Amino acid sequence: MLTIHINQRFFISIICLAFAIHSNLISASPETATPFSVCFNDKECALADPSGNILTNAHFEEIESFKGEYAVAIQNNLYGVIDRNGRWKIKPAYDYLSLELESNSIFVLAKFKNKYGYLDNNGSWAIKPSFVATRAFENGYAAVMQDGYWGIINEKGKWVIKPSFVELQTVEFHSQRYLAKKDNLWGVIDQSEKWIVNPEFDSIGQSKLGHFRGWDKSKDITKLFDINGKEIFLNRNRDFYNRDFSCESITTNGVKSFGLMDIKGQWLVKPQFQDAGCYQDETSKDTGTHNYSDLIPVKLDTKWGMIDRVGNWVIKPQYDHSFHFSRYGFAEICLNDLWGLIDTQGKWIIEPKYRNVSYDQENQHVIVNLEGKRGVIKTDGSWLIPAQFNNIETVGNHLIKAGILDGPTIIFNESGKTIIKTYRDCGRTKTIKADGTI
């Protein structure tokens, strides 16, 4: 299964569970009001709102993160689907469930008695369980395995491509192209099973621009193809394109140098750098002068700086290391073994005085490590959460979870206010909610 689940639950070990349902729920937007999972042990989880109010009894074994109005939940080792109030949309009766919200008619991918199928939004079988393995629907089609081989079905469960491939994957940008593996080599086929790109690669992938990129391991070469299988050019870089240029390298007398190449294989910036990082933030915004995604970190001699796509220095080389700019115009920079943030003009937003920094784009704050302790600062440099924790992570809903070894675990909201806190008391873990009750 290729479906990946990001679980937002956190564990609070407790011997005696005691909590009251707080009735004065906050009024908030759908995004901020999305409930999240509070697990008191690995068998007792409840829903809480972003203010720390407990919304349900702790009768779930696990609650996954919400996708829209619904979330997968587990009870008695069986999977079901709940709404934001904790009511069962699909009762727990399955060995595995995955919400499939990309499909118009398929609601859930389900495993039942060791076979996979698909449920509609009423919990009835849209496609009965008859497959050994399945993948999510994309553009109305899904790859499924039967009798040891992969094929393609539509949303009615009808075979579009009968199972005859070692591997088969749908393509994000085209409903009638499929990445296919035959006799241990990859290529691209259409719905008639005609090879658009011949199976001659050890791996093949797709780019955001609608291209296929196949890698031949024995020759260490990569070929780029358009949607119809026409070869665009050949090179040795194995990164997949998410835009119309890439960092490429050549080796002369055993020395590698990097430059920028366009999608037709022409040099935009000739190889002259010791290293380069062509990562693109998919949701980059335009700054007015430079697009964040077009500022490329490059290494000249021993220092890193930023160039634009034609090789002009935007920020001259002066740093020990540099990462790409985020969509909000910040880049993580290392100077003298300490990390900070700069803007697109090279101005320090966060001074370099931390062991590491991690900019959270969703919540627009920075997790920092200061002398071995972690905290959270705002982009103006002020503290949101003091650096006194052993670990800190975001858990969705703009919430932050912070913990101290053998000490309390605290959930903060986006303003740095404590909404749930746990601590050990005589061998038991107690939970204090936002209103001060235990």
Side-chain angles (χ1 to χ4, degrees), residues 107 148 190 206 238 437:
F107 184 61
D190 62 15
Q206 54 183 305
R238 279 172 261 167
T437 60

Side-chain angles (χ1 to χ4, degrees), residues 194-208:
K194 175 186 175 182
W195 289 101
I196 302 300
V197 176
N198 288 328
E200 56 186 38
F201 299 101
D202 294 278
S203 65
I204 198 163
Q206 54 183 305
S207 78
K208 296 294 183 182

Side-chain angles (χ1 to χ4, degrees), residues 259-377:
L260 301 184
M261 183 178 285
D262 68 19
I263 204 162
K264 295 181 179 179
Q266 302 298 314
W267 289 109
L268 294 171
V269 180
K270 291 183 178 181
Q272 56 191 284
F273 305 108
Q274 282 67 54
D275 204 349
C278 276
Y279 177 88
Q280 183 187 21
D281 187 328
E282 295 181 11
T283 53
S284 296
K285 298 179 180 178
D286 189 60
T287 64
T289 305
H290 296 282
N291 186 294
Y292 298 145
S293 63
D294 283 357
L295 294 182
I296 310 302
V298 295
K299 184 179 182 182
L300 184 63
D301 297 326
T302 61
K303 295 296 182 181
W304 287 78
M306 296 280 183
I307 61 171
D308 62 21
R309 60 184 295 151
V310 295
N312 298 317
W313 286 107
V314 179
I315 301 173
K316 292 183 178 180
Q318 55 192 290
Y319 310 115
D320 299 330
H321 196 77
S322 171
F323 287 112
H324 66 279
F325 277 96
S326 74
R327 66 179 181 266
Y328 294 105
F330 302 125
E332 298 167 11
I333 299 292
C334 181
L335 183 63
N336 299 325
D337 295 325
L338 295 174
W339 289 84
L341 290 184
I342 61 169
D343 64 15
T344 55
Q345 304 301 315
K347 178 184 176 181
W348 288 107
I349 302 300
I350 303 296
E351 293 289 334
K353 57 184 179 181
Y354 303 100
R355 290 188 183 180
N356 58 57
V357 296
S358 177
Y359 179 61
D360 186 322
Q361 297 193 62
E362 178 182 356
N363 300 300
Q364 299 183 48
H365 60 232
V366 187
I367 299 175
V368 300
N369 183 327
L370 180 64
E371 298 179 354
K373 295 295 184 180
R374 290 172 172 81
V376 179
I377 55 179

Side-chain angles (χ1 to χ4, degrees), residues 71-83:
V72 172
I74 302 175
Q75 189 177 76
N76 299 323
N77 294 319
L78 295 174
Y79 286 70
V81 175
I82 60 172
D83 63 19

